[in-house]
Amino acid sequence: MPYSFSNLKARRSAVAACGLSVLLLSGCAVNTSVVDPLKMSAQSGDSPVVLSITSNTKDIYGFNTIKLRRVVAGEQRSDFKLVSENLVMKKVESAMAGDTSLFIGALPPGEYEFIELIDTRANKLLRVYSTIVGSFQIEAGKSADLGRLIVTRGNFGVQYGRSAQVASNAELIRRFAPDYSAMFSAAASLGWSTPRHARDDVEQFARAHPAGAECVTEMPDGRVAAASRMGAVLMRSTQGLWKIINAQTVESLSCVFPVDLPNAELIAVGESGSLLRKARDSDKLFPVDAGNLPPGNLLRIGGNSNDGWYVMHRKGDELNIFHANQLDAGDWRSVYHTTVPGSWLHGPGLLWTWQDAGRIGYALESGLIGEFDYRTGKLTERFSPHKKNLTEFTHQANGTESVLVAAGLAGRFPDAYVSRDRGQNWTTIVSPFKVLMSPVAPLNDGRLLMEAGMYNEGA
């Protein structure tokens, strides 16, 4: 049965009004933070538990909070329960920005079930019912690895279920939270009180319907490829037919890059260090040995066999360009490093990345634009028009760049500019529309294509 995301503000209002309704029945629920296993006392009887969640939707930025409840022995199961205490578990690794989140906590022995999955940044929460997902058991002195939950849009709502592809979080812990690795050895319990439900087809549905098409790229023979969620690459034939190629993992992919290698015609990169290849005449994605590339999310890949390979790498607010002479089992060295500005309230600032035949580059919300030249091995930086903040940025392979810049204090709408020399000079776009919704797209015949709306001064 599908459910919908709820607005967190509305939920908070309902909680604030608890004294007028639920309080008469059982009292307001108390939120209690789940203990960090690394901070447990030697006398604690709690046991470590780990869970990851991958979301297949653009509605959220990735869950960062889980609410649990302890199941009372002998209680009758129902969709609605009056809860006196919520156990709150926070995302353990803030540097894992993306659709996959990792949670680690310590709980007393007993049976538990999920109540809510929350993304505070997107102001969304998802109410969880235990019919399909089920409950899990914490045993004294034994850690529990619950594997992964999958959340996806489907059938006019939101569905969730357990992953069959990712039954263990050992690798995710090793790369992003190594301090916890010793707690979750091969002896860790699976945790779940019941096997995966026979009707739990959420993961299969999500892999067959990945959300989004990023970094759309034309192959040399006219086919089109794009990166998507659930470890998927979308491929369109020259006849216009689309197909989905899934990796064994379910992490979201951010970009695809055509290559001419003996074992690959396409490279895909994505979150949690995903580095994959597609061979010619193959409908499978195989992992590429990432060598000594550090943990993080891969945003872009570029380069060639002569100049070496470059990846745009992000972990938290740190942005790096890494270079290696060979792609498989490469010796990756950082050739550029910067910090992506952000705020505690809204998270990291906006970031756009791109690559073309000779360069890989980025643009920051602050207006800083940089590109790394494969041939010279040098980085060039420049700025947006009048050094204004960017709200949108696009780069074309011929060096044309188009931006929307934030409006000034006296203006209500962003302004559009175009550069045909890689941002060295900018031309203002005079539009009959006031509400510009995307950067202007210069066409090959000299015309300009824009997405915009009208605005009535009297409205």
Side-chain angles (χ1 to χ4, degrees), residues 411-427:
R412 287 172 291 187
F413 305 112
D415 297 318
Y417 294 84
V418 166
S419 170
R420 298 186 183 273
D421 54 9
R422 313 185 80 89
Q424 297 182 54
N425 297 282
W426 295 97
T427 300

Side-chain angles (χ1 to χ4, degrees), residues 132-169:
I132 296 295
V133 173
S135 59
F136 61 93
Q137 192 76 31
I138 298 298
E139 303 177 37
K142 194 171 186 179
S143 59
D145 188 340
L146 303 179
R148 188 164 301 184
L149 293 183
I150 304 297
V151 178
T152 187
R153 279 286 188 185
N155 297 331
F156 308 104
V158 181
Q159 297 177 322
Y160 44 82
R162 298 191 216 168
S163 170
Q165 298 290 131
V166 187
S168 169
N169 289 294

Side-chain angles (χ1 to χ4, degrees), residues 24 59 63 101 126 128 184 193 232 266 302 368 383:
L24 298 177
D59 292 322
F63 294 107
S101 304
L126 177 64
V128 179
F184 298 96
S193 302
L266 188 76
L368 180 64
F383 289 93

Side-chain angles (χ1 to χ4, degrees), residues 359-415:
R359 299 170 177 84
I360 189 169
Y362 63 88
L364 304 182
E365 183 178 359
S366 63
L368 180 64
I369 303 169
E371 61 177 24
F372 196 93
D373 189 296
Y374 305 149
R375 185 179 58 81
T376 65
K378 294 182 179 180
L379 183 108
T380 302
E381 290 186 330
R382 53 193 183 277
F383 289 93
S384 60
H386 310 297
K387 295 186 178 182
K388 290 186 177 181
N389 282 4
L390 295 174
T391 60
E392 293 289 347
F393 174 93
T394 61
H395 174 92
Q396 296 181 351
N398 63 3
T400 297
E401 293 176 348
S402 183
V403 301
L404 291 183
V405 300
L409 294 177
R412 287 172 291 187
F413 305 112
D415 297 318

Side-chain angles (χ1 to χ4, degrees), residues 13-88:
S13 298
V15 171
C18 179
L20 300 177
S21 55
V22 181
L23 181 60
L24 298 177
L25 299 175
S26 65
C28 290
V30 176
N31 289 331
T32 302
S33 297
V34 173
V35 176
D36 183 338
L38 295 176
K39 300 177 181 178
M40 287 191 304
S41 66
Q43 294 76 32
S44 174
D46 296 355
S47 298
V49 59
V50 60
L51 171 80
S52 57
I53 305 176
T54 292
S55 55
N56 179 43
T57 172
K58 289 186 175 182
D59 292 322
I60 63 173
Y61 299 102
F63 294 107
N64 56 19
T65 304
I66 296 175
K67 284 188 179 180
L68 311 166
R69 67 177 288 269
R70 188 165 183 172
V71 178
V72 178
E75 74 173 23
Q76 295 295 317
R77 296 299 178 87
S78 64
D79 282 350
F80 176 75
K81 303 178 182 69
L82 296 176
V83 180
S84 60
E85 181 184 29
N86 293 321
L87 299 172
V88 180

Side-chain angles (χ1 to χ4, degrees), residues 197-264:
H197 201 287
R199 292 189 288 112
D200 185 351
D201 61 351
V202 172
E203 183 177 54
Q204 297 96 304
F205 179 88
R207 285 169 66 82
H209 302 84
E214 307 296 332
C215 190
V216 180
T217 304
E218 186 174 4
M219 304 286 287
D221 62 1
R223 289 175 296 158
V224 173
S228 190
R229 289 176 173 81
M230 300 303 297
V233 168
L234 311 180
M235 297 286 297
R236 190 188 72 180
S237 70
T238 53
Q239 290 76 40
L241 300 177
W242 287 93
K243 63 181 177 182
I244 300 171
I245 302 175
N246 288 108
Q248 289 297 310
T249 57
V250 297
E251 277 76 19
S252 297
L253 300 180
S254 56
C255 202
V256 292
F257 182 60
V259 295
D260 184 15
L261 297 173
N263 64 350

Side-chain angles (χ1 to χ4, degrees), residues 11 94 102 130 200 217 435:
R11 180 66 173 176
S94 60
L102 180 66
S130 63
D200 185 351
T217 304
V435 186

